[in-house]
Amino acid sequence: MRSHVLATIAVVATSMALVGCATLQRTVEVQSDLDSLTKSGGAVGSIATLDDNSTTTVLTSGVPHQTNGDSIGPRYRVRIAGVTKTLTAALVLQLVAEDKVDLAAPVEHYLPGLLPSNTITVRHLLQHRSGLAEFAGEPNADEWVAANENRTLTPADTVAIAVSKPAQFEPGSAFRYTDTNYIVLGMLVEGVTGRSYADELRTRILEPLKLEDTYLPPPGERDIRGEHMTGYADLPGGRTDVSRIEPSIPWSAGALVSTGKDLNTFWRALLSGNIVPENELTEMTTPQAGTTEAEGLGYGLGVGSTELPCGVTYIGHSSGIDGYYTLSGATEDRAYTVTLTSAPKEQPDIVAMLSHALCP
């Protein structure tokens, strides 16, 4: 695999003057991180997008498709997995700001009869404190298998799988990251607005921010549109292209397709208060006690938060889906998104990667 350094890489600009948008040290460190992930870490390809509010730089390593030696383009799309949850949370918090949803209200108030407990609140879902069982990973809810079998699932189908299993804990008593929570939130958006989740996402976030490379694939649309990076997984038969999935299964919890440029634009707008109003944004970005995950992030409402060693606060999200792992977020001054197109052999040092990209 080849790495493509800044001199030859994709720089989102019409002028090579943008090469100076990151310090040389930052560029060298981020490029080194990417090369480590592909050359020794086992990933087929990686792409990082850095943004300092005025300029955007894209660094890559490896190849977009294992079958050829093409270079990775700056606007190659990827599946962003659970980063989708942040956009779903933003939609719900907009409805909260509009007094259409109460965070403390039981989900039963908005979606009667859907859940087995009438004590699960909207806030519980956003915080992953509902106790609902996980549907993801069940044999009939595997998005790659479903695509190969030409099957779709409705959100109600996936929730039914979850509620057929015992609860993980009493609502509000613990934290456990669970896709089921954000499928229910997608249904909540539809129930409250009377419009599809896809329409609300498009009109409230994607179109206002001009996120032209971001979209929610409809049920049955299993291929990624346009130029994109192929996702791979190591299966019993060897390394396999798993980028073709059934999007109706992860849906509002993880089905979005996007680019680093679009995601960085989203994070800048979010943290600037241009998507979610100040009061709701404060609660969204304040980590709960006892929610630190493997990446070292404390979870708020659809986002993680941590203080980097240099003292700046990072707000973001990370997640994986078949063939793709994405880490995306921002500080007050910079935004950073990186995607790998196969799982690395070992968990990368996330805090170090964030520090290299985002510390002054």
Side-chain angles (χ1 to χ4, degrees):
M1 297 180 184
R2 300 171 299 171
S3 81
H4 307 282
V5 295
L6 188 60
T8 58
I9 201 170
V11 179
V12 183
T14 58
S15 170
M16 285 303 293
L18 287 185
V19 172
C21 74
T23 65
L24 177 60
Q25 184 65 27
R26 187 190 316 281
T27 301
V28 168
E29 290 179 343
V30 172
Q31 185 68 56
S32 178
D33 287 339
L34 298 187
D35 290 342
S36 176
L37 292 167
T38 55
K39 291 181 177 179
S40 59
V44 172
S46 58
I47 180 169
T49 307
L50 299 96
D51 196 317
D52 67 358
N53 292 328
S54 61
T55 56
T56 299
T57 302
V58 181
L59 300 171
T60 73
S61 186
V63 292
H65 317 293
Q66 192 170 249
T67 54
N68 60 44
D70 290 348
S71 298
I72 299 170
R75 292 178 62 173
Y76 271 39
R77 291 171 170 150
V78 297
R79 298 194 187 278
I80 65 170
V83 182
T84 302
K85 293 180 178 66
T86 303
L87 283 81
T88 299
L91 290 180
V92 173
L93 290 171
Q94 286 184 357
L95 296 174
V96 171
E98 296 166 7
D99 294 325
K100 296 176 181 176
V101 170
D102 183 347
L103 287 175
V107 177
E108 176 75 12
H109 178 73
Y110 305 103
L111 300 169
L114 179 68
L115 303 181
S117 171
N118 61 8
T119 62
I120 296 174
T121 67
V122 177
R123 184 180 279 109
H124 287 153
L125 295 176
L126 287 162
Q127 293 180 333
H128 293 293
R129 289 186 178 272
S130 72
L132 289 169
E134 180 63 278
F135 76 88
E138 293 298 308
N140 55 342
D142 183 302
E143 56 265 18
W144 184 68
V145 173
N148 290 330
E149 295 177 350
N150 196 31
R151 290 189 292 109
T152 63
L153 288 181
T154 67
D157 291 334
T158 57
V159 174
I161 292 170
V163 301
S164 70
K165 302 164 65 177
Q168 300 184 82
F169 47 81
E170 288 295 316
S173 66
F175 165 85
R176 189 166 299 170
Y177 185 94
T178 305
D179 284 353
T180 306
N181 293 314
Y182 277 73
I183 297 296
V184 177
L185 287 168
M187 297 176 72
L188 175 72
V189 168
E190 295 191 333
V192 169
T193 65
R195 286 162 36 95
S196 73
Y197 167 82
D199 285 344
E200 289 294 300
L201 182 68
R202 187 181 65 254
T203 59
R204 287 176 175 267
I205 296 178
L206 304 186
E207 289 180 347
L209 296 182
K210 299 180 180 179
L211 305 184
E212 297 176 353
D213 290 314
T214 304
Y215 69 95
L216 178 72
E221 186 178 301
R222 291 151 187 160
D223 295 309
I224 300 175
R225 302 172 193 170
E227 292 185 319
H228 63 276
M229 295 174 69
T230 299
Y232 295 92
D234 291 323
L235 301 181
R239 181 157 283 183
T240 304
D241 178 351
V242 292
S243 54
R244 192 172 188 271
I245 67 165
E246 174 45 53
S248 64
I249 296 178
W251 194 50
S252 55
L256 279 179
V257 173
S258 189
T259 63
K261 180 177 183 294
D262 274 9
L263 287 178
N264 286 359
T265 297
F266 167 77
W267 287 111
R268 291 200 316 273
L270 178 69
L271 298 187
S272 298
N274 295 325
I275 298 177
V276 174
E278 182 178 359
N279 288 344
E280 287 73 24
L281 181 63
T282 297
E283 183 161 7
M284 184 182 194
T285 56
T286 300
Q288 313 161 64
T291 61
T292 301
E293 300 184 277
E295 293 85 355
L297 306 182
Y299 209 82
L301 305 181
V303 299
S305 174
T306 192
E307 184 174 307
L308 299 178
C310 58
V312 302
T313 299
Y314 166 80
I315 304 293
H317 206 293
S318 64
S319 189
I321 196 169
D322 289 329
Y324 301 89
Y325 173 82
T326 293
L327 172 68
S328 184
T331 65
E332 182 177 326
D333 299 319
R334 296 180 178 88
Y336 172 62
T337 296
V338 60
T339 295
L340 318 179
T341 56
S342 53
K345 294 176 182 177
E346 297 180 359
Q347 173 73 20
D349 187 335
I350 298 300
V351 172
M353 290 176 61
L354 292 174
S355 297
H356 293 160
L358 298 171
C359 283

